[in-house]
Amino acid sequence: MNQFVFENSTKIYFGEGCVREHLNSLLNEYGDTVMLSYGGGSIKKNGVYEEVLAILKEAGKNVVEFADIMANPTYEKVLEGKRIAKENNVSLILAAGGGSVMDCSKAVSMAAAYEGDLWKDYWENVGEVNFEPLPLGVIVTASGTGSECNGDAVITNEELKVKTGRDYVKCNPKFALLDPVYTYSVPKLHMVAGSFDILSHIMEIYFSGPDEDNVSDDISEALMKNVIRNLRRAIQNPEDYIARSNLMWDAAMAEIRIIKLGKKLDFECHQMEHQIGAYTDCSHGCGLAVLHPVYYRHIYKNGISKFARFAVNVWGISEAGKSEEELALSGVEALADFIREIGLPTTIRELGVTDKSMLTEIAYSCNIATGGYKIMTHEEILEIFEECY
C-alpha cells in the first residue's frame, strides 16, 4: 500500500436511542448558546425536532435556529448562518439533518471564525485552516454523504454557477449521533438516491490505483455488496432496522477516510455531477446514477482488471466463457441494470437539463480529476453528457 497519514477526530455514537442517551452530557462541554441548524422542516414532522429541542432545554441551553437549509446549500446561505452565529455569540452548532445540512453547517462553522472571503480563500482555492472553526456536532437523519465523519463540505456559489467540495480536517464534527430510526421517514426516492451516493463514493475510491493487493479494495468490495443488499431490503421495508442501520454505517465507512488510505481516488463523476447540480439544483444521488454507467463505459478499458474484478466480486458474475473485456463490461452493465431496478433516473433530461445546448457550458465548467484510470478532457465530458441526454 502507498504511504498515508490517517486522522479522524469525530466521536461517533451509533444505534437506536443514542440521541436521548448521549446528547445531554455532550452539551456540557460547550457554552450557553446552541445554534440548531436544519433543513426544510422534515425534522418537525418526524418528531426529531421536538426530541432534540427538549434535550437542549433540559441542558439549560439558549437555542437559536438556522432553518431552511436547501438540498444543495449555497454560499449565500452560509453567510446567513455566519450572521446568525456571530450575532448570537453561538458556542456550538448542532446540525440535525442529512448531508446538505451538515455541509452547510461546516462551512458556517468556518465562516463564523473567519473575517476574510471564505469562498475565495477556502472553496475556490484550497487554504490552510490556521484558526479554530466554531465547534460542530451532528445528528444524522438521512444516510448518504457520510459527511458526519469528515471535514468535507460541498457548497454552491449560485452567482458563479460553481459547486465545490473541500475537506478540511478542522471541520470534522466534534461528535456525531447516528440513530437509524431517524432515517425511517425519509421519502423513498431520497433514501434510494442517498444510498446510491454511498455506492458512488465507494466506487470512486475503488476504481483508482493502486490495484495490487490492498486492504482498501477488499473493504470496498464488502461495503458495495452490503449497500446493494441492504438497499434492496430497505426498498421492500423502509423500517427494516437491520437494513437501515447497515446503510447508515456504510455511508460513514465510505467517507470516514479509512478506505481512501493509500488510494489515488477518482471522483470525476462527482466533479461532473456537481456542475450539473450547480446549473439545475438536481438531486446529487440521482445525478450520479445518470452519469456513472456512461462514464465507466468510457474508462473501463483503462482499468480493465479492476472492472473485471468488480463484476465477479461485487455482482457475482461468472467468469466462464468471457474474455476479461467482456467480463469488465458486464460489471458496468450490471450497475446500469441495478440503477433501473431501484428506480433512479437514467438521463440528464430527467435531472432538469431540457436545453441540450446547455451541456457544452456545463461540461467546460467541470473540474478535471487526476486520480482515476483515465484523465478526462472537457471534450470527452461533453461526449458523456450527450450520451446521457
Side-chain angles (χ1 to χ4, degrees):
M1 292 184 67
N2 291 341
Q3 291 182 319
F4 59 81
V5 175
F6 177 63
E7 177 180 0
N8 196 295
S9 58
T10 302
K11 187 167 185 176
I12 300 167
Y13 300 82
F14 186 97
E16 185 173 0
C18 65
V19 175
R20 292 189 300 274
E21 183 176 353
H22 298 290
L23 180 57
N24 194 312
S25 61
L26 289 168
L27 294 169
N28 292 333
E29 298 183 31
Y30 304 98
D32 293 334
T33 303
V34 174
M35 183 167 84
L36 179 62
S37 59
Y38 56 93
S42 62
I43 67 167
K44 291 186 175 180
K45 297 175 184 176
N46 59 20
V48 173
Y49 175 84
E50 288 78 8
E51 182 172 28
V52 172
L53 196 62
I55 295 170
L56 289 168
K57 296 295 186 182
E58 182 183 325
K61 302 300 182 182
N62 302 316
V63 181
V64 296
E65 297 190 14
F66 176 42
D68 300 320
I69 298 173
M70 61 286 289
N72 291 300
T74 65
Y75 185 51
E76 182 179 0
K77 192 68 177 176
V78 171
L79 296 179
E80 177 190 336
K82 172 182 179 175
R83 176 183 57 78
I84 294 171
K86 290 179 73 67
E87 286 179 355
N88 292 278
N89 195 26
V90 166
S91 57
L92 172 71
I93 301 173
L94 184 62
S100 297
V101 171
M102 291 185 277
D103 284 11
C104 187
S105 299
K106 289 176 191 175
V108 171
S109 77
M110 285 185 67
Y114 186 68
E115 294 304 323
D117 185 332
L118 188 75
W119 178 268
K120 181 179 179 181
D121 295 343
Y122 289 99
W123 262 259
E124 183 178 318
N125 300 291
V126 178
E128 180 183 352
V129 185
N130 54 9
F131 58 92
E132 290 300 319
L134 199 61
L136 168 69
V138 300
I139 299 170
V140 183
T141 64
S143 300
T145 68
S147 191
E148 59 270 21
C149 297
N150 60 41
D152 199 1
V154 180
I155 304 298
T156 299
N157 190 313
E158 288 186 300
E159 182 180 351
L160 300 176
K161 284 189 166 57
V162 174
K163 183 176 177 181
T164 301
R166 299 294 185 202
D167 188 354
Y168 293 112
V169 170
K170 285 193 175 182
C171 281
N172 264 60
K174 301 298 183 184
F175 59 85
L177 297 153
L178 283 69
D179 185 338
V181 176
Y182 281 13
T183 70
Y184 285 0
S185 61
V186 175
K188 178 182 175 182
L189 177 61
H190 293 171
M191 183 271 289
V192 173
S195 298
F196 189 81
D197 190 21
I198 303 169
L199 184 62
S200 172
H201 290 157
I202 304 166
M203 291 190 299
E204 297 271 33
I205 298 162
Y206 181 74
F207 289 119
S208 73
D211 292 325
E212 56 268 16
D213 186 29
N214 65 84
V215 174
S216 294
D217 285 346
D218 289 350
I219 296 174
S220 292
E221 289 174 356
L223 288 172
M224 285 187 281
K225 290 194 291 185
N226 195 277
V227 172
I228 294 162
R229 181 174 65 252
N230 284 288
L231 177 52
R232 284 171 168 154
R233 288 181 59 172
I235 290 171
Q236 292 299 314
N237 177 13
E239 295 190 7
D240 181 329
Y241 182 82
I242 297 298
R244 299 307 284 263
S245 61
N246 277 324
L247 289 170
M248 188 170 239
W249 190 238
D250 286 331
M253 281 294 293
E255 284 294 330
I256 204 168
R257 302 192 181 101
I258 288 175
I259 62 172
K260 292 182 176 180
L261 300 175
K263 298 289 289 182
K264 290 182 179 179
L265 313 180
D266 185 348
F267 284 91
E268 184 60 65
C269 242
H270 271 68
Q271 300 302 321
M272 292 189 286
E273 193 290 324
H274 282 170
Q275 284 311 102
I276 293 174
Y279 280 77
T280 67
D281 199 33
C282 68
S283 160
H284 180 54
C286 289
L288 292 168
V290 169
L291 292 170
H292 263 295
V294 179
Y295 172 63
Y296 287 153
R297 291 182 193 120
H298 275 248
I299 72 165
Y300 79 94
K301 291 181 181 179
N302 298 82
I304 198 162
S305 296
K306 181 63 71 65
F307 278 94
R309 176 176 165 176
F310 175 67
V312 174
N313 292 353
V314 176
W315 296 108
I317 296 170
S318 172
E319 300 177 65
K322 295 183 182 69
S323 67
E324 187 175 49
E325 182 174 343
E326 288 171 335
L327 190 59
L329 188 56
S330 70
V332 176
E333 297 312 315
L335 174 65
D337 290 343
F338 179 67
I339 290 166
R340 287 188 287 270
E341 173 194 334
I342 61 180
L344 290 180
T346 57
T347 69
I348 283 180
R349 291 191 304 280
E350 295 171 82
L351 302 178
V353 180
T354 54
D355 180 358
K356 194 174 182 180
S357 66
M358 290 173 59
L359 296 179
T360 301
E361 182 178 349
I362 300 173
Y364 279 82
S365 73
C366 293
N367 288 327
I368 302 296
T370 59
Y373 288 130
K374 181 180 181 181
I375 297 176
M376 290 286 104
T377 64
H378 289 111
E379 290 78 11
E380 190 164 10
I381 290 172
L382 179 57
E383 287 179 27
I384 291 169
F385 284 174
E386 289 174 338
E387 289 170 32
C388 291
Y389 188 75

